[in-house]
Amino acid sequence: MLQHSKKIVIVGGGAGGLALASRLGRLARKDKRLDITLVDAARTHIWKPLLHEIAAGSMNPHREALDYLAQAKRHGFRFCLGRMQDLDRQQRRIHIAATADEQGQPLIPARQLDYDILVLAVGSATNDFGTPGVAEHAICLNTPDDASRFHRQLVNACIRASLQPGPLRPEQLQLTIIGAGATGVELAAELRNTTRELVAHGRENINPDRDIRLTLIEAGPRILPALPPAIAAKAQRQLQEMQVRVLCGERVSVVRDGAVHTASGQCIASELVVWAAGVQAPAFLAGLAGLESNRLNQLLVRPTLQTTLDENVFALGDCAACPDRQGWVPPRAQAASQQADLLFHNVRCLLAGKPLRAFHYRDLGSLISLGRYSTVGSLMSALSRRSLFVHGQFARLMYLSLYHRHQLSLFGWLPTLLTAAGRLLSRRTQPQVKLH
């Protein structure tokens, strides 16, 4: 299929897209037939599983953010700042919308990029299931900007409550998280740890255990529905020990300013609300250029990750509906990473005129962070393929290794080691929580 110089355009700089662009860029330095471009609407990359730590304030996004331009220069690909808005499959061309600056002034005009191979790795967006009031009164942790905005609101809420002359209103310093999947559970635990640190710095009028109330709401019968029941039960016990109120079997019917209402009639006073209950692919993918998509806007792909109606358009990660032995590949970071590995291999097969490999998802287990000192989860045994329950410090080390593996795929060994060492040293000299 591929005989001459080929332009590969990757749209989306998340975990899968950026890793693929970096590996293909390094390959392009040796194989001059390749021309690699990464397109993203943001200027920097942060690993999405870290967003709950940014929201809670235990991670500074400015120290963890990776500049796309710097990564492109070091690893042999080009970076194009902008948001894809349309696709012309006949001309093999994508349309990128005009970009404005923070003040709304024009920055980059609308433009077009030609491709020979297009990889869509645009991740997922929030699915609020049409629940009234979510867009107006809740924050969805889908981007680093969302997470930073929530943290600023949390800090401001603590400042306001600490300095006001009168008593707290019923909703003040009450935080409600809707959705008890991995994001919701990890955010609840991280917030319980960091709010104590936050009010310890000059907020003596607030008692975090008495005044700051955390509520976690799940529509299903238990938290962490995608994980084994034993892990979910362990996590719920630990959340309750942290004084996190857990409500299962409660469907949110409406979110209002200062309160969350459930279908059963409960009214939960809340100053800050986070929606973490569902995801779907970005809306622009639905019917994009005639490609097949499902009700979650995901593009239907073959096992080779080629879209069903166009062999030159691939999709990976949360925006792809990929068939698997037991149904569909789940929207998880480890799936996107594995698919990026397969696409790197398949591009080399295309260059060599060899057949493409099919994707087979390997579940490596799940780990849930419950703050800095506790982690629970399961790991898949390489010998028996059975799930092994893990918790405590060993599980915490395994959880941290997931981020380091992501960094290895982007930087290599030496930069990853230096970055980890720098982070360890900075924790000894700086506050344990972001204070602004």
Side-chain angles (χ1 to χ4, degrees):
M1 186 186 300
L2 298 183
Q3 301 296 330
H4 308 293
S5 176
K6 295 299 173 181
K7 297 178 181 178
I8 300 178
V9 175
I10 302 166
V11 181
L18 182 56
L20 179 61
S22 300
R23 294 184 68 183
L24 287 175
R26 293 191 290 267
L27 179 62
R29 286 177 170 168
K30 303 174 184 177
D31 191 332
K32 301 306 179 182
R33 292 176 293 173
L34 291 176
D35 181 347
I36 314 299
T37 301
L38 175 68
V39 179
D40 200 280
R43 305 185 194 199
T44 58
H45 162 83
I46 290 180
W47 197 44
K48 198 168 183 177
L50 298 179
L51 292 185
H52 72 281
E53 296 189 31
I54 295 172
S58 52
M59 177 170 288
N60 189 326
H62 301 295
R63 287 202 298 266
E64 296 298 329
L66 169 63
D67 192 293
Y68 285 123
L69 280 173
Q71 183 75 0
K73 181 179 180 181
R74 295 189 192 106
H75 295 271
F77 64 91
R78 284 197 293 270
F79 173 64
C80 175
L81 177 65
R83 187 180 302 279
M84 176 180 169
Q85 64 178 166
D86 205 357
L87 166 64
D88 185 336
R89 292 199 288 126
Q90 283 67 42
Q91 298 294 323
R92 294 190 186 178
R93 181 175 298 156
I94 68 169
H95 297 264
I96 301 173
T99 303
D101 63 16
E102 290 80 0
Q103 286 73 43
Q105 298 299 313
L107 182 65
I108 306 173
R111 54 212 189 282
Q112 300 173 345
L113 274 181
D114 294 333
Y115 68 85
D116 294 297
I117 297 175
L118 175 64
V119 180
L120 296 172
V122 293
S124 59
T126 298
N127 185 358
D128 63 12
F129 307 104
T131 306
V134 172
E136 297 83 3
H137 304 299
I139 294 179
C140 306
L141 300 186
N142 202 47
T143 68
D145 286 343
D146 295 334
S148 295
R149 181 161 60 96
F150 173 82
H151 181 68
R152 288 194 299 272
Q153 291 186 12
L154 174 63
V155 172
N156 289 343
C158 290
I159 293 173
R160 189 182 302 112
S162 177
L163 298 179
Q164 71 184 38
L168 295 177
R169 300 185 306 275
E171 78 279 5
Q172 266 191 291
L173 297 182
Q174 310 301 300
L175 288 77
T176 297
I177 301 166
I178 304 169
T183 298
V185 168
E186 290 185 326
L187 177 62
E190 199 74 29
L191 281 170
R192 177 51 75 198
N193 291 325
T194 58
T195 50
R196 288 169 176 155
E197 287 278 346
L198 183 63
V199 301
H201 290 78
R203 307 282 174 256
E204 294 84 0
N205 294 333
I206 301 174
N207 181 325
D209 295 321
R210 181 195 64 209
D211 298 328
I212 299 178
R213 187 175 188 181
L214 287 166
T215 302
L216 181 63
I217 303 177
E218 170 57 40
R222 64 177 177 88
I223 69 171
L224 300 173
L227 273 63
I231 295 175
K234 174 75 172 178
Q236 181 162 338
R237 286 194 298 271
Q238 293 197 263
L239 287 173
Q240 290 168 340
E241 289 172 4
M242 296 177 187
Q243 298 180 347
V244 175
R245 182 187 180 197
V246 179
L247 300 178
C248 293
E250 288 284 355
R251 183 178 62 83
V252 171
S253 58
V254 62
V255 179
R256 303 189 189 279
D257 184 16
V260 172
H261 298 265
T262 70
S264 68
Q266 287 204 55
C267 177
I268 302 161
S270 308
E271 183 172 13
L272 293 175
V273 179
V274 174
W275 182 272
V279 297
Q280 62 185 356
F284 85 96
L285 292 180
L288 177 69
L291 295 173
E292 289 187 295
S293 57
N294 63 14
R295 62 182 180 83
L296 296 177
N297 305 329
Q298 294 173 307
L299 295 175
L300 301 184
V301 299
R302 310 170 192 170
T304 56
L305 302 183
Q306 294 166 299
T307 52
T308 53
L309 300 181
D310 193 328
E311 64 180 9
N312 298 303
V313 179
F314 293 73
L316 68 84
D318 292 0
C319 71
C322 181
D324 195 38
R325 298 182 185 95
Q326 299 179 346
W328 301 94
V329 175
R332 302 176 65 185
Q334 60 177 291
S337 177
Q338 292 173 32
Q339 289 173 337
D341 290 342
L342 178 82
L343 271 183
F344 176 74
H345 173 83
N346 277 348
V347 167
R348 300 181 71 176
C349 289
L350 287 171
L351 292 172
K354 297 180 179 179
L356 305 188
R357 287 185 185 175
F359 178 70
H360 298 293
Y361 174 60
R362 293 177 292 110
D363 186 355
L364 304 178
S366 302
L367 294 168
I368 302 297
S369 172
L370 299 174
R372 191 175 308 159
Y373 304 108
S374 181
T375 301
V376 298
S378 63
L379 298 176
M380 297 303 293
S381 168
L383 296 177
S384 66
R385 299 306 300 163
R386 295 180 62 184
S387 178
L388 304 176
F389 177 75
V390 293
H391 63 96
Q393 285 301 314
F394 173 75
R396 180 64 183 169
L397 290 173
M398 295 301 298
Y399 183 88
L400 293 174
S401 74
L402 298 177
Y403 184 37
H404 294 150
R405 286 179 61 184
H406 173 61
Q407 291 180 308
L408 279 172
S409 70
L410 301 181
F411 310 133
W413 281 99
L414 183 58
T416 298
L417 288 173
L418 293 175
T419 300
R423 187 181 300 109
L424 182 63
L425 290 173
S426 67
R427 282 193 175 275
R428 297 180 178 274
T429 59
Q430 297 175 355
Q432 298 300 300
V433 61
K434 193 169 182 288
L435 301 175
H436 59 277

